[in-house]
Amino acid sequence: MTIPRSSPCPWRGLSDGQTLDHLGVEECWRLLGSQSFGRLSFSVDDRVQVALTPYVARTSRVFLRAAAFGSVARRVVTRPVTLQIDDLSGDHHATWSVTATGTAHHVDDAATLAALWTPVRPAPWGVGQESLWIELLPDEVHGQRIRD
């Protein structure tokens, strides 16, 4: 959609002449694969929590690193979760955001774990041993891009 110069902008930060494009699923997965951390949203006791988390996207699946006894590992399994990533460049010429929503579970398949525990993996964050992998099986992936 193009915002005409004569109309007030309905979205803060979108200026005259910029467009908001919806991204296809393939482009969303390409962008998911281009980053290594995002914001994981999940519900605990009727409140939404957001945690920064390292991840890796592979073949329509997202794998998150989590502390074995941390809130993410304890609270997201079998619950709906959403991972959001974005690239908000300072000049606003290539701004995009992608979300992947689905159910999470601990990874216990030996072959999958062997493939994830390679030297090329997201670095752990936070205090403590980051020893768990959690898989997000998205049933919905979508994104948007703002461009001039």
Side-chain angles (χ1 to χ4, degrees), residues 23-33 141:
L23 302 175
V25 173
E26 286 183 23
E27 177 68 357
C28 289
W29 278 105
R30 186 188 72 74
L31 292 170
L32 277 165
V141 177

CSV table of all heavy atoms in Angstrom, one decimal, residues 23-33 141:
chain,number,residue,atom,x,y,z
A,23,LEU,N,5.3,-10.1,3.0
A,23,LEU,CA,6.3,-11.0,2.4
A,23,LEU,C,5.8,-12.4,2.3
A,23,LEU,O,4.9,-12.8,3.1
A,23,LEU,CB,7.5,-11.0,3.4
A,23,LEU,CG,8.2,-9.7,3.7
A,23,LEU,CD1,9.3,-9.9,4.7
A,23,LEU,CD2,8.8,-9.1,2.4
A,24,GLY,N,6.2,-13.1,1.2
A,24,GLY,CA,5.8,-14.4,1.0
A,24,GLY,C,6.5,-15.4,2.0
A,24,GLY,O,7.5,-15.0,2.6
A,25,VAL,N,6.0,-16.6,2.1
A,25,VAL,CA,6.6,-17.5,3.1
A,25,VAL,C,8.0,-17.8,2.8
A,25,VAL,O,8.9,-17.9,3.7
A,25,VAL,CB,5.7,-18.8,3.1
A,25,VAL,CG1,6.4,-19.9,3.9
A,25,VAL,CG2,4.3,-18.5,3.6
A,26,GLU,N,8.4,-18.0,1.5
A,26,GLU,CA,9.8,-18.3,1.2
A,26,GLU,C,10.7,-17.2,1.6
A,26,GLU,O,11.8,-17.4,2.1
A,26,GLU,CB,10.0,-18.6,-0.3
A,26,GLU,CG,9.4,-20.0,-0.7
A,26,GLU,CD,9.6,-20.3,-2.2
A,26,GLU,OE1,10.6,-19.7,-2.8
A,26,GLU,OE2,8.9,-21.1,-2.7
A,27,GLU,N,10.3,-16.0,1.4
A,27,GLU,CA,11.1,-14.8,1.8
A,27,GLU,C,11.2,-14.7,3.3
A,27,GLU,O,12.3,-14.4,3.8
A,27,GLU,CB,10.5,-13.5,1.2
A,27,GLU,CG,11.3,-12.2,1.6
A,27,GLU,CD,12.7,-12.1,1.0
A,27,GLU,OE1,13.1,-13.0,0.3
A,27,GLU,OE2,13.3,-11.1,1.3
A,28,CYS,N,10.1,-15.0,4.0
A,28,CYS,CA,10.2,-15.0,5.4
A,28,CYS,C,11.2,-16.0,6.0
A,28,CYS,O,12.0,-15.7,6.9
A,28,CYS,CB,8.8,-15.3,6.0
A,28,CYS,SG,7.6,-14.0,5.8
A,29,TRP,N,11.2,-17.3,5.4
A,29,TRP,CA,12.2,-18.3,5.8
A,29,TRP,C,13.6,-17.9,5.5
A,29,TRP,O,14.5,-18.1,6.2
A,29,TRP,CB,11.9,-19.6,5.2
A,29,TRP,CG,10.8,-20.3,6.0
A,29,TRP,CD1,9.5,-20.4,5.7
A,29,TRP,CD2,10.9,-20.8,7.4
A,29,TRP,NE1,8.8,-21.1,6.7
A,29,TRP,CE2,9.7,-21.3,7.8
A,29,TRP,CE3,12.0,-21.0,8.2
A,29,TRP,CZ2,9.5,-21.9,9.0
A,29,TRP,CZ3,11.8,-21.6,9.5
A,29,TRP,CH2,10.5,-22.1,9.8
A,30,ARG,N,13.8,-17.2,4.3
A,30,ARG,CA,15.1,-16.7,4.0
A,30,ARG,C,15.6,-15.7,5.0
A,30,ARG,O,16.7,-15.8,5.5
A,30,ARG,CB,15.1,-16.1,2.6
A,30,ARG,CG,16.6,-15.7,2.1
A,30,ARG,CD,16.5,-14.9,0.8
A,30,ARG,NE,16.0,-13.5,1.1
A,30,ARG,CZ,16.7,-12.5,1.7
A,30,ARG,NH1,17.9,-12.7,2.1
A,30,ARG,NH2,16.1,-11.3,1.8
A,31,LEU,N,14.7,-14.8,5.4
A,31,LEU,CA,15.1,-13.8,6.4
A,31,LEU,C,15.3,-14.4,7.8
A,31,LEU,O,16.2,-14.0,8.5
A,31,LEU,CB,14.0,-12.7,6.5
A,31,LEU,CG,13.9,-11.8,5.2
A,31,LEU,CD1,12.7,-10.9,5.3
A,31,LEU,CD2,15.2,-11.0,5.1
A,32,LEU,N,14.5,-15.4,8.2
A,32,LEU,CA,14.7,-16.1,9.4
A,32,LEU,C,16.1,-16.7,9.4
A,32,LEU,O,16.8,-16.7,10.5
A,32,LEU,CB,13.6,-17.2,9.6
A,32,LEU,CG,12.3,-16.8,10.2
A,32,LEU,CD1,11.3,-17.9,10.0
A,32,LEU,CD2,12.5,-16.5,11.7
A,33,GLY,N,16.5,-17.3,8.3
A,33,GLY,CA,17.8,-17.9,8.2
A,33,GLY,C,19.0,-16.9,8.2
A,33,GLY,O,20.1,-17.2,8.4
A,141,VAL,N,3.8,-18.4,9.5
A,141,VAL,CA,5.0,-17.6,9.3
A,141,VAL,C,4.6,-16.4,8.4
A,141,VAL,O,4.0,-16.6,7.3
A,141,VAL,CB,6.2,-18.3,8.6
A,141,VAL,CG1,7.4,-17.4,8.4
A,141,VAL,CG2,6.6,-19.5,9.5
